[in-house]
Amino acid sequence: LRYVNLLLEKYPDAKVTIGAQPDLVSLVRSSFELPISTRSDIPTDYVTSLLDVPMILNLTWDTVPRPQKYLSIDQKLVEKWATKFKELPPGINVGLCWASFNGISKTIPAWDMVELGGVPKINFISLQKPYSQAPKELKLRDWTDGINDWSDTGAIIENCDIIITIDTGVAHLAGALGKPVWNIVRFSTYWPWMDEKIPPSPDYSIWYPSMTFVRQKRLGDWLEPVRKVTLELQRQLVGLT
């Protein structure tokens, strides 16, 4: 979706309709003033996948847009979820997603997250839907029954201070919203996260300026990256005191 505005600039007379899955319609509507359809058979002259737009626009690594934020959540929805956050004690509000249902290699086992629960003044809020087992030490707030689509997830993200997630849609959404996000990336990484040997930095995303990578160094070892995240949370607390 980062390419939509560039497409409109190149073809200002085109009537563009965005095709979206039902659970994305609200998010797309609050981000773009364009028609949206969930149908695959709408009458058009041309159809393209969003992933093909960079080729259509002749984009290169140097010209790919990297905005700080390119998606928006309806402010009324953000305010609705903000009432939940008023129940929390003072501290850093951290949105947490730790499991993938596309493969166990992207899922952090519950027992590897116990150390996170030892950091004081952290309010962990679940972004995990469907819910997956988490250690009781996190004292996790689970409001996911109220999540109906990606806009609800985005509204929770907007009310958080930091997002900690594995490689899921939550990582992309938090990055597109410009929220500070620590993306815990598995050893055999997904191609958009590049490789730690590729410049300009092994720790920062070329796609999302607000995203920091915490890379798994050994296949199956989640303790080491979770400990790095734990230490960084402790540093954040020091900065607040």
Side-chain angles (χ1 to χ4, degrees):
L1 289 171
R2 71 176 63 231
Y3 306 114
V4 169
N5 290 329
L6 281 183
L7 191 65
L8 294 172
E9 288 175 12
K10 184 165 184 177
Y11 302 103
D13 296 327
K15 296 180 180 178
V16 176
T17 297
I18 299 178
Q21 298 171 353
D23 60 351
L24 286 169
V25 168
S26 176
L27 174 62
V28 175
R29 182 175 290 124
S30 62
S31 302
F32 302 97
E33 295 181 358
L34 290 171
I36 306 163
S37 177
T38 58
R39 294 172 50 191
S40 59
D41 60 346
I42 57 174
T44 60
D45 296 309
Y46 302 97
V47 177
T48 185
S49 162
L50 283 171
L51 292 179
D52 289 332
V53 174
M55 178 181 66
I56 295 170
L57 298 176
N58 295 316
L59 296 178
T60 67
W61 283 115
D62 294 328
T63 57
V64 167
R66 299 180 177 90
Q68 183 69 30
K69 175 178 181 176
Y70 61 88
L71 294 181
S72 301
I73 306 298
D74 183 273
Q75 191 57 35
K76 290 182 179 178
L77 189 60
V78 175
E79 292 170 1
K80 172 188 171 183
W81 279 99
T83 60
K84 290 279 190 182
F85 284 76
K86 291 178 182 177
E87 304 168 5
L88 301 175
I92 297 177
N93 297 325
V94 176
L96 189 63
C97 179
W98 63 93
S100 168
F101 296 91
N102 292 326
I104 195 170
S105 65
K106 292 200 296 183
T107 296
I108 304 176
W111 53 84
D112 282 348
M113 297 192 294
V114 170
E115 288 189 24
L116 277 174
V119 184
K121 298 182 181 178
I122 300 292
N123 300 315
F124 288 106
I125 297 96
S126 175
L127 296 170
Q128 187 67 52
K129 188 168 184 175
Y131 188 76
S132 183
Q133 183 183 7
K136 64 181 185 302
E137 287 85 356
L138 294 181
K139 299 177 182 177
L140 196 69
R141 274 72 174 185
D142 180 21
W143 303 324
T144 55
D145 283 348
I147 294 178
N148 298 307
D149 59 17
W150 283 101
S151 280
D152 280 314
T153 302
I156 296 174
I157 287 172
E158 288 283 42
N159 280 287
C160 290
D161 299 305
I162 300 167
I163 305 302
I164 298 173
T165 180
I166 47 130
D167 173 15
T168 66
V170 168
H172 290 278
L173 179 56
L177 290 171
K179 182 66 62 172
V181 51
W182 302 345
N183 187 359
I184 304 178
V185 180
R186 61 179 170 171
F187 180 77
S188 52
T189 188
Y190 176 43
W191 73 264
W193 310 140
M194 310 299 283
D195 183 275
E196 63 179 349
K197 300 181 182 65
I198 296 177
S201 170
D203 298 327
Y204 299 98
S205 171
I206 65 168
W207 306 104
Y208 304 112
S210 65
M211 180 177 289
T212 301
F213 295 128
V214 183
R215 297 183 185 273
Q216 188 185 58
K217 300 297 184 183
R218 292 175 295 278
L219 186 63
D221 177 12
W222 293 106
L223 270 177
E224 191 266 343
V226 168
R227 282 171 179 160
K228 284 185 67 174
V229 167
T230 301
L231 288 172
E232 186 56 36
L233 277 178
Q234 291 170 341
R235 292 192 191 99
Q236 296 277 335
L237 280 169
V238 170
L240 291 177
T241 58

